[in-house]
Amino acid sequence: MKRLLGVALGILTAIGGFVDIGDLVTNAVVGARFGTSLVWVVVVGVVGICLFAQMSGRVAAVSGRATFEIIRERLGPRAGGANLVASFAVTLMTLTAEIGGIALALELATSVESRLLIPVAGLAVWLVLWRVKFQVLENVTGMLGLLLVVFAVALVQLGPDWGALIDSALHPVTPADEPAPVYWYYAVALFGAAMTPYEVFFFSSGAREEGWTAKDLSQSRSNVLIGFPLGGLLSVAIAGCAAVVLLPRGIEVTSLSEITLPVALAGGKLALAVVILGIVAATFGAALETALSTGYTLAQFFGWSWGKSHRPARAARFHTAMLLAVLLGTLVLLSGIDPIAVTEYSVVFSAVALPLTYLPILVVANDRQYMGEHVNGRLTNALGLVYLVVIVVASLAAIPLMIATGAGR
Amino acid sequence: MSPARRPVGPSSAAVAAVVLLLAGCTGPSSADRDAADTVSQAVDQATSAVAIGTLVVELVRDDRTTAATADTTLNDALLDVWDAQGVLTRDVPADPEATAARDRATAAADAGATALADARAWVNDTSGSDVDHVAAALSAAADALDAAGAEVAG
């Protein structure tokens, strides 16, 4: 019974923890511009993150090494160091976006200007990282993130033409007034939002934090293979709400407030309160995960003592790195930069950086020296190679598409 | 958004690849956009802001949102319309006809900004306006923006 509860909790937190500011913004922007015609990218992204997280969790559980320990071992200090710089920069950008997301959600609840709330958000993130145990912070934010199910409830309440929504999703089309490069730019952005590198750093390092071994692989698999696809459904519901309410009115999504409009229209003040709380939980949880990921990547690469379970005095550099990352993200936002713009760029650069971590994990997951009998099976390898191609193509196309479309404008 | 749609297939992907390659070689495409495109995008942005204002006013009227959330959403819409006004003001059209279209688009965006500011004052209960007056101003601004958009497109 206790094991069953553990599995259920793992799945629920995986669902609730799936959506972050990147998913919220990108899915709403895409829904408001392209309807459900890019839902196929969410499906591709969810299958990809399942594959990637499942491999990295298995590698961590079996070999006892987290992602950046492996990258350092396999690529050496030079290539590994370049990988670290790129991955750390993207994770820091994502952390900045998440802190901004917390402030924007709090602004929606209070109408206090978000710039005044940014230091509060940054301080709260750091205090929780400093004081709260790993499992508590992971489970509480994941469970509260489940409140975003309200998007799915709202979509049902809005009573859309389901046939048209499903037809648009199954037969991808783009509005005649949207150029094809813009469509593909948002396809890459949506892919980057679903397959954010920090999720893998956090998942593999979390496996070490929780002391997973080969015996825990089935639970890891169920968390990923059930939790992430259900989390992906939340992403689709966000896009669906935008497609039903914002697209017909010609509303462009440029801020967090617009994302909540369909929910308020469908469910009134109660649904609005739930969605704001859900957004705070989702962005707060993701801010904690990204902040931890900055500490994990640096500590694992440089061989420092790391882990949330270690007291700050015993892992001083790990905790200092997280503190500085949170401080830097907060200061960047205080400069007046738009958190939504940071979010939009962070998902695109996530796509750019993805091959850097995907390839070493794919290689190690096939290495019997590390994995013994738990190496990838044929099906996983076939899928892994297909995704390697998809990830490399998305990575190479991302920046040229960004330039060609003026970042989707 | 136009209801006319076309399928996304391999040919679109090929076109996208060629366009992005060319754009990557020649620099930011924003530099190549003509004045009509700039004005059209600014009008779309202002139209979106006014549509947000209209929806928020409906939600407040029906007691489906809080004053704090409505205020924040209207403030965000105002930022969008100010952004559009800035683009229109900075634009230098190539001929008198385009200048006249730009001027009408600017006037429509100004009307949108005023209507949104009035709506915000109404939401915060700091004006003597009523919901009908606020909604009518937003509707008039939306009509003006639609006309300006059609003129720019046509």
Side-chain angles (χ1 to χ4, degrees):
Chain A
M1 188 63 186
K2 194 179 172 188
R3 184 170 171 76
L4 196 65
L5 281 174
V7 171
L9 184 64
I11 291 170
L12 290 173
T13 52
I15 300 168
F18 184 84
V19 173
D20 67 357
I21 188 75
D23 295 292
L24 278 163
V25 170
T26 314
N27 280 286
V29 168
V30 162
R33 285 182 75 159
F34 303 98
T36 52
S37 69
L38 277 165
V39 163
W40 64 271
V41 180
V42 177
V43 176
V44 172
V46 168
V47 173
I49 194 68
C50 285
L51 180 74
F52 195 7
Q54 192 265 337
M55 276 197 297
S56 64
R58 179 155 41 90
V59 166
V62 174
S63 73
R65 292 172 177 84
T67 300
F68 257 89
E69 291 169 326
I70 285 165
I71 287 172
R72 165 84 191 218
E73 276 183 31
R74 298 295 299 211
L75 301 182
R78 246 192 176 165
N83 194 322
L84 174 72
V85 170
S87 299
F88 184 83
V90 170
T91 306
L92 190 59
M93 195 187 276
T94 312
L95 169 62
T96 305
E98 305 294 352
I99 294 172
I102 301 169
L104 290 175
L106 292 175
E107 183 185 19
L108 272 177
T110 61
S111 83
V112 173
E113 199 193 332
S114 61
R115 210 181 304 182
L116 293 173
L117 295 166
I118 286 166
V120 177
L123 183 64
V125 168
W126 175 69
L127 279 176
V128 170
L129 285 169
W130 185 263
R131 300 298 303 172
V132 179
K133 287 183 178 173
F134 181 85
Q135 279 189 325
V136 175
L137 70 85
E138 185 188 28
N139 292 338
V140 170
T141 55
M143 295 298 279
L144 285 175
L146 280 174
L147 292 173
L148 293 178
V149 168
V150 73
F151 277 107
V153 176
L155 184 57
V156 172
Q157 282 192 318
L158 287 165
D161 179 350
W162 290 104
L165 282 183
I166 292 168
D167 186 59
S168 169
L170 293 179
H171 304 96
V173 289
T174 183
D177 55 353
E178 294 282 7
V182 173
Y183 180 89
W184 290 105
Y185 171 76
Y186 279 108
V188 169
L190 211 47
F191 185 66
M195 285 195 74
T196 325
Y198 85 84
E199 290 173 13
V200 173
F201 305 148
F202 181 74
F203 195 76
S204 68
S205 305
R208 291 277 313 277
E209 292 264 24
E210 294 177 334
W212 285 13
T213 64
K215 288 179 187 168
D216 301 301
L217 288 180
S218 61
Q219 184 177 341
S220 160
R221 206 171 289 133
S222 57
N223 287 359
V224 169
L225 298 182
I226 301 173
F228 283 3
L230 291 175
L233 281 181
L234 295 184
S235 294
V236 173
I238 294 165
C241 282
V244 170
V245 174
L246 307 183
L247 176 62
R249 291 171 168 82
I251 293 175
E252 300 169 3
V253 173
T254 57
S255 68
L256 202 59
S257 57
E258 289 128 19
I259 300 171
T260 63
L261 286 171
V263 178
L265 185 65
K269 285 180 179 174
L270 180 62
L272 181 65
V274 170
V275 78
I276 291 174
L277 188 56
I279 293 173
V280 171
T283 49
F284 200 94
L288 296 174
E289 291 178 9
T290 44
L292 280 164
S293 295
T294 59
Y296 289 144
T297 50
L298 286 174
Q300 288 163 12
F301 185 83
F302 290 112
W304 302 339
S305 172
W306 63 271
K308 189 71 190 67
S309 53
H310 294 332
R311 287 176 178 278
R314 286 192 52 220
R317 284 177 287 193
F318 167 70
H319 281 273
T320 306
M322 286 193 298
L323 169 63
L324 290 177
V326 172
L327 187 64
L328 192 58
T330 306
L331 289 174
V332 167
L333 288 166
L334 285 174
S335 72
I337 196 165
D338 177 14
I340 298 296
V342 177
T343 304
E344 289 177 344
Y345 286 111
S346 76
V347 294
V348 175
F349 282 106
S350 286
V352 174
L354 209 47
L356 299 173
T357 42
Y358 182 81
L359 185 59
I361 292 294
L362 182 63
V363 170
V364 171
N366 277 292
D367 190 332
R368 284 194 182 275
Q369 277 189 324
Y370 283 88
M371 301 298 290
E373 61 179 305
H374 297 287
V375 288
N376 279 352
R378 281 185 184 173
L379 180 65
T380 308
N381 266 339
L383 205 53
L385 287 173
V386 168
Y387 266 87
L388 181 61
V389 173
V390 173
I391 285 168
V392 169
V393 168
S395 172
L396 293 175
I399 290 177
L401 278 172
M402 183 190 284
I403 294 167
T405 64
R409 299 289 181 260
Chain B
M1 294 287 170
S2 165
R5 288 163 181 263
R6 55 190 156 79
V8 175
S11 58
S12 300
V15 170
V18 171
V19 169
L20 69 89
L21 277 173
L22 289 173
C25 295
T26 56
S29 67
S30 57
D32 303 331
R33 285 185 191 144
D34 58 21
D37 196 21
T38 305
V39 173
S40 174
Q41 286 189 3
V43 170
D44 284 349
Q45 192 175 6
T47 304
S48 164
V50 171
I52 292 166
T54 305
L55 182 53
V56 170
V57 168
E58 286 172 19
L59 291 173
V60 174
R61 183 196 61 200
D62 298 342
D63 199 27
R64 300 185 81 77
T65 187
T66 63
T69 304
D71 179 63
T72 303
T73 312
L74 288 170
N75 190 44
D76 289 336
L78 270 169
L79 293 176
D80 284 345
V81 85
W82 288 341
D83 195 22
Q85 284 175 302
V87 170
L88 291 168
T89 309
R90 286 194 301 273
D91 184 48
V92 183
D95 55 63
E97 199 178 318
T99 303
R102 192 275 316 269
D103 289 347
R104 276 187 283 278
T106 306
D110 291 347
T114 305
L116 283 168
D118 286 348
R120 197 168 174 223
W122 171 71
V123 163
N124 286 298
D125 211 12
T126 58
S127 75
S129 294
D130 56 32
V131 65
D132 293 336
H133 176 80
V134 168
L138 285 166
S139 178
D143 290 344
L145 283 163
D146 281 347
E151 187 179 356
V152 172

